[in-house]
Amino acid sequence: MPQPGPATVRSRVRIPLTFPDGYRAEAEATTFHGLVDGAEHLALAFGTVAEGATPLVRLHSECLTGDVFGSDRCDCGPQLREAVERIAEAGGYLLYLRQEGRGIGLYNKLDAYALQDSGLDTYEANAALGLPEDGRDYTAAAQMLAALGATDVDLLSNNPDKAEQLAGLGVTVHRRVPTGVHLSASNVRYLTAKVERTGHSIALPRLVG
């Protein structure tokens, strides 16, 4: 990926949100010029950051099946819902990143699901398709945070790679705040693979052991 220049704010608009459980939040959506990957990523600002406090930030990769249709094969939809409420309470940003299937795209993700049904885990399935286990690059996210003036953050994430990439891109991550554990009968193998393969901070043994 080429060395990026700075991104700039393109537009801001207020959006009232209502979730299926009735939770409501007011978001300020920001779009950008100059993102290195050319994708239409979105920043949603919630709440108010207290004076002297660090904004709480979530990098949320788009998941049509989980975020929109409520699929139980992953924990993306519940994580999105949780993140909005926690960020609204603390003040900060949710970056909605167009990185379906950890960057492999929707159709490839569904192909990987078919391979998972035959016994492969989520990372093995990607590899069997000749695709990266996790193809996400967070350079655009770092550009977005810089344009928002949020280069010192608390990161709401179970994924150590997000914090490591942001730190390498000039964002100071003061602390990584784990999300809740959203366990279902359909996503146990998915969450277990996250813990075992990429060191996600998900306390599964306490819940399923």
Side-chain angles (χ1 to χ4, degrees):
M1 186 169 289
Q3 188 67 25
T8 57
V9 170
R10 174 182 175 276
S11 66
R12 287 190 169 100
V13 63
R14 305 293 295 187
I15 304 177
L17 305 178
T18 302
F19 286 83
D21 63 359
Y23 177 75
R24 298 174 64 87
E26 183 85 6
E28 181 180 67
T30 301
T31 63
F32 300 88
H33 289 299
L35 297 179
V36 66
D37 58 7
E40 294 185 332
H41 305 302
L42 189 67
L44 299 174
F46 296 97
T48 302
V49 182
E51 185 175 353
T54 305
L56 182 63
V57 170
R58 166 80 181 162
L59 309 186
H60 187 90
S61 296
E62 178 180 38
C63 177
L64 179 70
T65 50
D67 296 343
V68 177
F69 297 117
S71 169
D72 283 337
R73 291 192 69 138
C74 62
D75 58 347
C76 301
Q79 280 192 325
L80 178 63
R81 164 65 180 83
E82 175 196 0
V84 169
E85 185 168 0
R86 293 180 68 174
I87 296 169
E89 291 172 353
Y93 301 96
L94 186 144
L95 305 191
Y96 197 81
L97 305 173
R98 313 304 295 273
Q99 300 172 327
E100 184 77 49
R102 297 198 193 98
I104 66 173
L106 178 61
Y107 281 16
N108 284 329
K109 182 178 82 170
L110 295 177
D111 291 342
Y113 277 179
L115 291 176
Q116 290 167 39
D117 289 342
S118 70
L120 301 183
D121 71 29
T122 179
Y123 300 97
E124 293 167 343
N126 283 15
L129 292 170
L131 300 167
E133 292 185 350
D134 189 335
R136 290 174 294 184
D137 181 289
Y138 298 109
T139 303
Q143 289 181 290
M144 294 161 74
L145 292 172
L148 294 167
T151 54
D152 293 78
V153 305
D154 290 335
L155 186 65
L156 182 61
S157 178
N158 300 323
N159 185 353
D161 182 56
K162 290 182 179 179
E164 291 168 6
Q165 284 202 41
L166 286 182
L169 292 162
V171 177
T172 299
V173 179
H174 289 273
R175 62 191 181 111
R176 184 163 59 86
V177 182
T179 72
V181 179
H182 304 285
L183 186 66
S184 74
S186 300
N187 71 17
V188 172
R189 289 181 61 240
Y190 168 81
L191 295 180
T192 300
K194 282 186 172 185
V195 173
E196 294 179 348
R197 298 289 294 271
T198 52
H200 280 58
S201 52
I202 305 172
L204 283 176
R206 179 169 54 86
L207 293 176
V208 302

